[in-house]
Amino acid sequence: GFMTEAGATYLYTGVQTEYEFGRFNFTPSFTPGYYNPGDGKDLGHVLEFKSEIKIGFDIFENSSLSYSYSHLSNSTIGESNPGTDNQQITFSRNF
């Protein structure tokens, strides 16, 4: 799940798979979940769906750098469906 500085929360579960191409990784995922806007953006429904694509690169044996793009929307089941897009750059290190 996640929470924004405006108090919006999204709690979710879903499916994801990872494809490895040498030092590159491709990870698509789909996650339905519960959304509460708090004082943040009203996305139009409590049920929201997050679709995400992450592309990563193994820098060293135990670390990677990745970029992800995700879209969160209610797939028009609510009266409004403004949706939101997110981009993220992540550095990960396994210990």
Short mmCIF file of all heavy atoms in Angstrom, two decimals, residues 2 12 16 25-29 50-57 65-71 84-92:
data_model
loop_
_atom_site.label_atom_id
_atom_site.label_comp_id
_atom_site.label_asym_id
_atom_site.label_seq_id
_atom_site.Cartn_x
_atom_site.Cartn_y
_atom_site.Cartn_z
N PHE A 2 0.21 2.40 -0.08
CA PHE A 2 0.92 3.66 0.05
C PHE A 2 0.01 4.74 0.61
O PHE A 2 -1.20 4.59 0.63
CB PHE A 2 1.54 4.12 -1.28
CG PHE A 2 0.57 4.41 -2.39
CD1 PHE A 2 -0.15 5.59 -2.43
CD2 PHE A 2 0.40 3.50 -3.42
CE1 PHE A 2 -1.03 5.86 -3.47
CE2 PHE A 2 -0.46 3.76 -4.46
CZ PHE A 2 -1.19 4.94 -4.49
N TYR A 12 -3.70 -2.50 -1.44
CA TYR A 12 -3.96 -3.33 -2.60
C TYR A 12 -3.26 -4.69 -2.51
O TYR A 12 -2.36 -4.90 -1.71
CB TYR A 12 -3.52 -2.62 -3.87
CG TYR A 12 -2.06 -2.22 -3.90
CD1 TYR A 12 -1.10 -3.08 -4.41
CD2 TYR A 12 -1.65 -0.99 -3.43
CE1 TYR A 12 0.24 -2.73 -4.45
CE2 TYR A 12 -0.32 -0.62 -3.47
CZ TYR A 12 0.62 -1.49 -3.98
OH TYR A 12 1.94 -1.13 -4.01
N GLN A 16 1.94 -9.99 -10.16
CA GLN A 16 3.09 -9.42 -10.83
C GLN A 16 3.99 -10.56 -11.29
O GLN A 16 4.01 -11.63 -10.68
CB GLN A 16 3.81 -8.46 -9.90
CG GLN A 16 5.25 -8.65 -9.70
CD GLN A 16 5.88 -7.63 -8.77
OE1 GLN A 16 5.34 -6.57 -8.50
NE2 GLN A 16 7.03 -7.96 -8.28
N ASN A 25 15.60 -6.32 -16.27
CA ASN A 25 14.38 -6.92 -15.74
C ASN A 25 13.19 -6.13 -16.22
O ASN A 25 13.21 -4.90 -16.29
CB ASN A 25 14.39 -6.89 -14.21
CG ASN A 25 15.58 -7.59 -13.63
OD1 ASN A 25 15.79 -8.75 -13.89
ND2 ASN A 25 16.37 -6.87 -12.85
N PHE A 26 12.13 -6.84 -16.54
CA PHE A 26 10.87 -6.24 -16.96
C PHE A 26 9.79 -6.81 -16.06
O PHE A 26 9.62 -8.04 -16.00
CB PHE A 26 10.60 -6.56 -18.44
CG PHE A 26 9.27 -6.08 -18.91
CD1 PHE A 26 9.02 -4.73 -19.10
CD2 PHE A 26 8.25 -6.99 -19.19
CE1 PHE A 26 7.78 -4.29 -19.55
CE2 PHE A 26 7.02 -6.56 -19.63
CZ PHE A 26 6.79 -5.21 -19.82
N THR A 27 9.06 -5.95 -15.32
CA THR A 27 8.10 -6.42 -14.34
C THR A 27 6.75 -5.72 -14.51
O THR A 27 6.57 -4.59 -14.06
CB THR A 27 8.63 -6.17 -12.91
OG1 THR A 27 9.96 -6.67 -12.80
CG2 THR A 27 7.75 -6.84 -11.87
N PRO A 28 5.78 -6.37 -15.17
CA PRO A 28 4.43 -5.82 -15.22
C PRO A 28 3.62 -6.30 -14.00
O PRO A 28 3.88 -7.38 -13.45
CB PRO A 28 3.87 -6.41 -16.52
CG PRO A 28 4.60 -7.68 -16.70
CD PRO A 28 5.96 -7.50 -16.07
N SER A 29 2.64 -5.48 -13.59
CA SER A 29 1.78 -5.89 -12.47
C SER A 29 0.39 -5.26 -12.62
O SER A 29 0.21 -4.26 -13.29
CB SER A 29 2.39 -5.49 -11.13
OG SER A 29 2.48 -4.09 -11.01
N LYS A 50 -4.55 -0.49 -10.15
CA LYS A 50 -3.22 0.04 -10.48
C LYS A 50 -2.55 -0.90 -11.48
O LYS A 50 -2.36 -2.08 -11.20
CB LYS A 50 -2.35 0.17 -9.24
CG LYS A 50 -0.94 0.74 -9.54
CD LYS A 50 -0.17 1.05 -8.28
CE LYS A 50 0.36 -0.15 -7.58
NZ LYS A 50 1.60 -0.71 -8.10
N SER A 51 -2.21 -0.37 -12.64
CA SER A 51 -1.43 -1.11 -13.64
C SER A 51 -0.04 -0.49 -13.65
O SER A 51 0.08 0.74 -13.69
CB SER A 51 -2.06 -0.98 -15.02
OG SER A 51 -3.38 -1.47 -15.00
N GLU A 52 0.99 -1.33 -13.63
CA GLU A 52 2.36 -0.81 -13.53
C GLU A 52 3.31 -1.59 -14.42
O GLU A 52 3.17 -2.80 -14.58
CB GLU A 52 2.84 -0.87 -12.09
CG GLU A 52 4.22 -0.30 -11.87
CD GLU A 52 4.61 -0.26 -10.40
OE1 GLU A 52 4.02 -1.00 -9.59
OE2 GLU A 52 5.50 0.53 -10.07
N ILE A 53 4.28 -0.88 -14.96
CA ILE A 53 5.37 -1.50 -15.71
C ILE A 53 6.66 -0.98 -15.11
O ILE A 53 6.84 0.23 -14.96
CB ILE A 53 5.31 -1.14 -17.21
CG1 ILE A 53 4.06 -1.73 -17.83
CG2 ILE A 53 6.55 -1.64 -17.93
CD1 ILE A 53 3.84 -1.32 -19.27
N LYS A 54 7.55 -1.90 -14.73
CA LYS A 54 8.84 -1.52 -14.17
C LYS A 54 9.94 -2.12 -15.03
O LYS A 54 9.90 -3.29 -15.40
CB LYS A 54 8.98 -2.03 -12.74
CG LYS A 54 10.28 -1.56 -12.09
CD LYS A 54 10.65 -2.23 -10.78
CE LYS A 54 9.68 -2.22 -9.69
NZ LYS A 54 10.22 -2.73 -8.41
N ILE A 55 10.95 -1.29 -15.35
CA ILE A 55 12.11 -1.74 -16.11
C ILE A 55 13.33 -1.50 -15.23
O ILE A 55 13.53 -0.37 -14.74
CB ILE A 55 12.24 -0.96 -17.43
CG1 ILE A 55 11.00 -1.19 -18.29
CG2 ILE A 55 13.50 -1.36 -18.17
CD1 ILE A 55 10.89 -0.28 -19.47
N GLY A 56 14.11 -2.55 -15.00
CA GLY A 56 15.25 -2.43 -14.11
C GLY A 56 16.54 -2.93 -14.75
O GLY A 56 16.52 -3.66 -15.75
N PHE A 57 17.63 -2.52 -14.16
CA PHE A 57 18.96 -2.89 -14.63
C PHE A 57 19.79 -3.27 -13.41
O PHE A 57 19.90 -2.49 -12.46
CB PHE A 57 19.60 -1.71 -15.37
CG PHE A 57 21.00 -1.95 -15.82
CD1 PHE A 57 21.26 -2.80 -16.88
CD2 PHE A 57 22.06 -1.34 -15.18
CE1 PHE A 57 22.56 -3.02 -17.31
CE2 PHE A 57 23.36 -1.55 -15.61
CZ PHE A 57 23.60 -2.39 -16.67
N LEU A 65 18.92 -0.60 -10.43
CA LEU A 65 18.31 0.69 -10.65
C LEU A 65 17.12 0.46 -11.56
O LEU A 65 17.24 -0.24 -12.57
CB LEU A 65 19.31 1.64 -11.32
CG LEU A 65 18.86 3.07 -11.55
CD1 LEU A 65 18.62 3.78 -10.21
CD2 LEU A 65 19.92 3.82 -12.35
N SER A 66 15.96 1.01 -11.20
CA SER A 66 14.77 0.74 -12.02
C SER A 66 13.91 1.99 -12.16
O SER A 66 13.96 2.92 -11.36
CB SER A 66 13.95 -0.40 -11.44
OG SER A 66 13.51 -0.08 -10.13
N TYR A 67 13.11 1.98 -13.22
CA TYR A 67 12.13 3.02 -13.51
C TYR A 67 10.78 2.34 -13.63
O TYR A 67 10.65 1.29 -14.26
CB TYR A 67 12.47 3.73 -14.83
CG TYR A 67 11.33 4.54 -15.37
CD1 TYR A 67 11.07 5.81 -14.87
CD2 TYR A 67 10.49 4.03 -16.35
CE1 TYR A 67 9.99 6.56 -15.36
CE2 TYR A 67 9.42 4.77 -16.85
CZ TYR A 67 9.18 6.03 -16.34
OH TYR A 67 8.12 6.75 -16.81
N SER A 68 9.75 2.94 -13.02
CA SER A 68 8.41 2.38 -13.15
C SER A 68 7.41 3.48 -13.49
O SER A 68 7.56 4.64 -13.10
CB SER A 68 7.98 1.65 -11.88
OG SER A 68 7.85 2.54 -10.80
N TYR A 69 6.41 3.08 -14.22
CA TYR A 69 5.28 3.94 -14.57
C TYR A 69 4.02 3.19 -14.16
O TYR A 69 3.85 2.01 -14.49
CB TYR A 69 5.25 4.22 -16.08
CG TYR A 69 3.97 4.88 -16.52
CD1 TYR A 69 3.79 6.25 -16.37
CD2 TYR A 69 2.92 4.12 -17.04
CE1 TYR A 69 2.60 6.86 -16.75
CE2 TYR A 69 1.73 4.72 -17.42
CZ TYR A 69 1.58 6.08 -17.27
OH TYR A 69 0.40 6.67 -17.63
N SER A 70 3.12 3.86 -13.44
CA SER A 70 1.86 3.23 -13.06
C SER A 70 0.70 4.18 -13.29
O SER A 70 0.86 5.40 -13.29
CB SER A 70 1.89 2.78 -11.59
OG SER A 70 1.99 3.88 -10.73
N HIS A 71 -0.45 3.58 -13.49
CA HIS A 71 -1.70 4.32 -13.68
C HIS A 71 -2.72 3.76 -12.70
O HIS A 71 -2.89 2.55 -12.60
CB HIS A 71 -2.21 4.19 -15.11
CG HIS A 71 -3.50 4.89 -15.34
ND1 HIS A 71 -3.60 6.26 -15.44
CD2 HIS A 71 -4.77 4.42 -15.46
CE1 HIS A 71 -4.86 6.60 -15.62
NE2 HIS A 71 -5.58 5.50 -15.63
N THR A 84 -4.87 8.81 -12.04
CA THR A 84 -3.61 9.46 -11.73
C THR A 84 -2.46 8.63 -12.28
O THR A 84 -2.56 7.39 -12.33
CB THR A 84 -3.45 9.70 -10.21
OG1 THR A 84 -2.27 10.45 -9.97
CG2 THR A 84 -3.40 8.41 -9.43
N ASP A 85 -1.42 9.28 -12.73
CA ASP A 85 -0.24 8.60 -13.25
C ASP A 85 0.93 8.87 -12.31
O ASP A 85 1.07 9.98 -11.77
CB ASP A 85 0.11 9.12 -14.64
CG ASP A 85 -0.97 8.80 -15.65
OD1 ASP A 85 -1.46 7.65 -15.64
OD2 ASP A 85 -1.33 9.68 -16.44
N ASN A 86 1.77 7.87 -12.13
CA ASN A 86 2.93 7.99 -11.26
C ASN A 86 4.16 7.45 -11.95
O ASN A 86 4.08 6.44 -12.67
CB ASN A 86 2.69 7.19 -9.97
CG ASN A 86 1.45 7.63 -9.24
OD1 ASN A 86 1.43 8.71 -8.66
ND2 ASN A 86 0.41 6.84 -9.30
N GLN A 87 5.29 8.10 -11.72
CA GLN A 87 6.57 7.63 -12.21
C GLN A 87 7.51 7.57 -11.02
O GLN A 87 7.44 8.40 -10.12
CB GLN A 87 7.13 8.57 -13.26
CG GLN A 87 6.24 8.68 -14.49
CD GLN A 87 6.83 9.61 -15.51
OE1 GLN A 87 7.94 9.40 -15.96
NE2 GLN A 87 6.10 10.65 -15.85
N GLN A 88 8.41 6.57 -11.06
CA GLN A 88 9.29 6.37 -9.92
C GLN A 88 10.64 5.83 -10.39
O GLN A 88 10.68 4.97 -11.27
CB GLN A 88 8.62 5.38 -8.98
CG GLN A 88 9.31 5.11 -7.70
CD GLN A 88 8.43 4.28 -6.79
OE1 GLN A 88 7.26 4.57 -6.59
NE2 GLN A 88 8.98 3.23 -6.26
N ILE A 89 11.70 6.33 -9.80
CA ILE A 89 13.04 5.77 -10.02
C ILE A 89 13.48 5.19 -8.68
O ILE A 89 13.39 5.86 -7.64
CB ILE A 89 14.02 6.84 -10.50
CG1 ILE A 89 13.60 7.33 -11.88
CG2 ILE A 89 15.44 6.28 -10.55
CD1 ILE A 89 14.41 8.48 -12.41
N THR A 90 13.93 3.93 -8.69
CA THR A 90 14.27 3.22 -7.47
C THR A 90 15.67 2.62 -7.55
O THR A 90 16.02 2.00 -8.56
CB THR A 90 13.26 2.08 -7.21
OG1 THR A 90 11.94 2.60 -7.26
CG2 THR A 90 13.51 1.41 -5.88
N PHE A 91 16.42 2.79 -6.49
CA PHE A 91 17.69 2.09 -6.33
C PHE A 91 17.47 1.05 -5.24
O PHE A 91 17.02 1.38 -4.15
CB PHE A 91 18.82 3.04 -5.93
CG PHE A 91 20.09 2.31 -5.59
CD1 PHE A 91 20.90 1.80 -6.60
CD2 PHE A 91 20.46 2.11 -4.27
CE1 PHE A 91 22.07 1.11 -6.30
CE2 PHE A 91 21.62 1.43 -3.96
CZ PHE A 91 22.43 0.94 -4.97
N SER A 92 17.77 -0.22 -5.53
CA SER A 92 17.58 -1.31 -4.56
C SER A 92 18.91 -2.00 -4.28
O SER A 92 19.70 -2.22 -5.20
CB SER A 92 16.60 -2.35 -5.10
OG SER A 92 15.37 -1.77 -5.38
#
